[in-house]
Amino acid sequence: MLGLSAASGSAALLGGPAAAASPAGPPGAPPAGPPAVTGPPALGPVVLGPDDPRYVELTRRGYNGRFTGSPDVVHLVGSADQVVRAVEEAARAGRRIAVRSGGHCFENFVDDPAVRALIDVSEMAAVSYDPERRVYAVESGATLGRVYRTFYLGWGVTLPGGGCPAVGVGGHVAGGGYGALSRRYGLVVDHLYGVEVVVADRSGRARQVTVTRDSTGAERELWWAHTGGGGGNFGVVTRYLFRSPGAAGAPGDLLPRPPAAVRSVSVGWQWQDLDREAFTRLLRAHGEWHRRHAGLDSPYAELSSGLTLGHRTNGRITVDAALDVDRPRSEELLDAFVAELTAAAGVPHTTATATTPWLKSVLGGVQWPGGARFKSKSTLLRQPWNDRQIGVLHDHLGRGGEEFATAAVYLTFLGGRINAVAPEVTAMPHRDCLFSAVHETLWGEEEQTERQLAWVRGLYRELHADTGGVPVPNAANGGAYVNYPDTDLADPRWNTSGVPWSTLYHRGQYERLRRVKERWDPLDLFHHALGVRPPARPPAG
């Protein structure tokens, strides 16, 4: 059986039972910003072609085994200057560019046959504190696990990011970034102070610029676009700079502090005990409970919670939840949560509890190693599933045999501090949603591909049958999450709503993102199938 969900980077719960100064721009160009903090000599430049044995390591490390790239050249970069040179070289040669950080992209945006130059930033992984600018600096190749460990052990702080330690910050932050602490502290981008990014002008000349939330004009718009506009659109991020809005004082006061430990509970039901009526009762109660407790005025305002609906052949459905162990009445609150759900289902269940130090809770556990084929589809829900959709889930999760044992639907509780930020403040517009749902199937053998795709596409289309097979924003749906890209949303065979994919991901903010794209990537060097398109440009092929 295959391992954990490919989407677990953002859906996983809090705890569980188990280098040099930038080159100057042309006359009249915006300032490049202050010099980067110096450190040990940078790796590289390392430039590889297909005849180098290291080429295979770098072109086959993407997590989705459905896709393998074959670029003409791979640039394994160790500094911003090297990124500048790589971008300029690709622009001169007319090579399409893609950038890889952690390798967790769900689609073939990096491993696309059209990509001829791959810039791999995974060796740019430094995590530090800059006392002059009073910001935490994280290179874009660092993984979430490295950030959590260094931030916490060094300064006692963290970011409210996803639960898969292997995910790279390069893409995670660009889409918004949510995780177990987000109901308490908001999205990762709510704490993004600045971005150091390599961009290219109309002549193909590249340079690194530093833009922050304190910038003005076009520079501030570039910062804004990186607060949820998605990766691969505007340039190559070399470092992210973090400081919470309004934060002051010592380094330990400039970012959120995680709990010392978390108290968690996992409740499980066997499919064999859940007929259609009991399944409906359970999901109806789950949805209504979370709707009641979505706001900051609830005693559960800081609860992280996730529902896993495994395929019937997997045998189990689970609900996991966690609270700060020091939160008053945390044990009592979790017990009451469990009691309400189990009473509603009215069938046998199991319960496991644990108290876990925070760092262990985010770094521990079995992580999906990647390499399997998978397809994930995203829905952001403003309301719980209705009875028709619950029936679809019950029936579809029972279709097919053992080959679908790793198929599942994951539901993560949002709300809280996420929804306390106005949608226009960041480029992540979905500030009114209750849940993030991921519908996913994983498989090992190529011959299973068409059957597996048909299964997950059929489920998604049935769930959204009232809105053209996709989650068109309305009273019930918020759209889809850009960090879970799904090219089906741009395919009229699967999206019959007449609503473009850009609205599903970006809602009313797409035109603003397009203006940023036109200003900062005039050659459209950075693009993919669901990339932000400059005005008057057709969709990328």
Side-chain angles (χ1 to χ4, degrees), residues 134-458:
R134 298 177 56 255
V135 295
Y136 289 91
V138 179
E139 290 187 320
S140 57
T143 63
L144 290 176
R146 178 171 185 145
V147 172
Y148 297 153
R149 178 178 176 84
T150 302
F151 273 12
Y152 184 62
L153 296 181
W155 300 277
V157 300
T158 193
L159 292 171
C164 179
V167 166
V169 300
H172 185 70
V173 178
Y178 73 85
L181 288 174
S182 288
R183 284 180 46 77
R184 183 173 184 173
Y185 292 124
L187 302 176
V188 172
V189 293
D190 295 337
H191 305 273
L192 181 64
Y193 174 73
V195 181
E196 296 176 359
V197 54
V198 173
V199 295
D201 63 20
R202 291 191 182 276
S203 71
R205 183 178 182 183
R207 62 197 175 94
Q208 178 179 287
V209 299
T210 300
V211 294
T212 75
R213 86 166 69 100
D214 294 332
S215 298
T216 59
E219 289 74 34
R220 193 179 194 282
E221 286 296 280
L222 182 60
W223 167 83
W224 175 85
H226 283 87
T227 63
N233 284 309
F234 311 104
V236 184
V237 175
T238 55
R239 291 205 304 180
Y240 290 108
L241 309 176
F242 294 100
R243 185 174 71 223
S244 299
D253 300 321
L254 302 181
L255 282 178
R257 290 185 177 273
V262 294
R263 188 186 308 278
S264 58
V265 62
S266 182
V267 191
W269 295 265
Q270 295 295 324
W271 262 107
Q272 65 189 25
D273 296 324
L274 288 164
D275 58 17
R276 189 184 181 97
E277 289 73 23
F279 182 89
T280 299
R281 291 194 304 269
L282 173 59
L283 264 63
R284 190 185 291 159
H286 178 275
E288 289 303 316
W289 187 96
H290 286 81
R291 178 156 56 183
R292 292 200 316 269
H293 294 289
L296 292 170
D297 56 347
S298 167
Y300 294 92
E302 298 174 359
L303 180 86
S304 64
S305 167
L307 167 68
T308 300
L309 301 174
H311 190 271
R312 183 177 289 274
T313 55
N314 177 271
R316 275 179 70 81
I317 289 172
T318 58
V319 172
D320 298 279
L323 281 169
D324 184 338
V325 72
D326 293 326
R327 198 249 182 255
R329 302 170 49 236
S330 61
E331 184 174 9
E332 178 186 339
L333 288 167
L334 289 174
D335 287 348
F337 169 68
V338 170
E340 184 164 335
L341 295 189
T342 55
V347 298
H349 66 277
T350 60
T351 304
T353 61
T355 299
T356 311
W358 176 79
L359 189 60
K360 183 177 180 180
S361 78
V362 294
L363 298 182
V366 178
Q367 295 297 327
W368 182 60
R373 297 168 174 87
F374 68 86
K375 178 67 173 180
S376 294
K377 304 176 78 67
S378 163
T379 301
L380 290 164
L381 294 164
R382 287 170 162 166
Q383 299 292 336
W385 289 308
N386 60 35
D387 284 356
R388 183 195 68 80
Q389 292 172 312
I390 292 173
V392 168
L393 289 163
H394 177 271
D395 295 347
H396 209 93
L397 286 165
R399 293 178 190 169
E402 289 291 336
E403 66 182 310
F404 298 105
T406 53
V409 176
Y410 304 90
L411 196 69
T412 302
F413 193 23
L414 300 179
R417 191 65 61 183
I418 298 172
N419 293 9
V421 176
E424 69 276 4
V425 171
T426 66
M428 202 287 193
H430 305 286
R431 299 292 188 157
D432 53 4
C433 294
L434 180 64
F435 294 114
S436 172
V438 174
H439 325 73
E440 182 174 273
T441 185
L442 298 89
W443 64 98
E445 303 302 325
E446 175 63 31
E447 58 265 25
Q448 297 180 21
T449 296
E450 291 307 315
R451 295 191 300 277
Q452 296 282 350
L453 290 175
W455 184 92
V456 71
R457 284 168 168 166

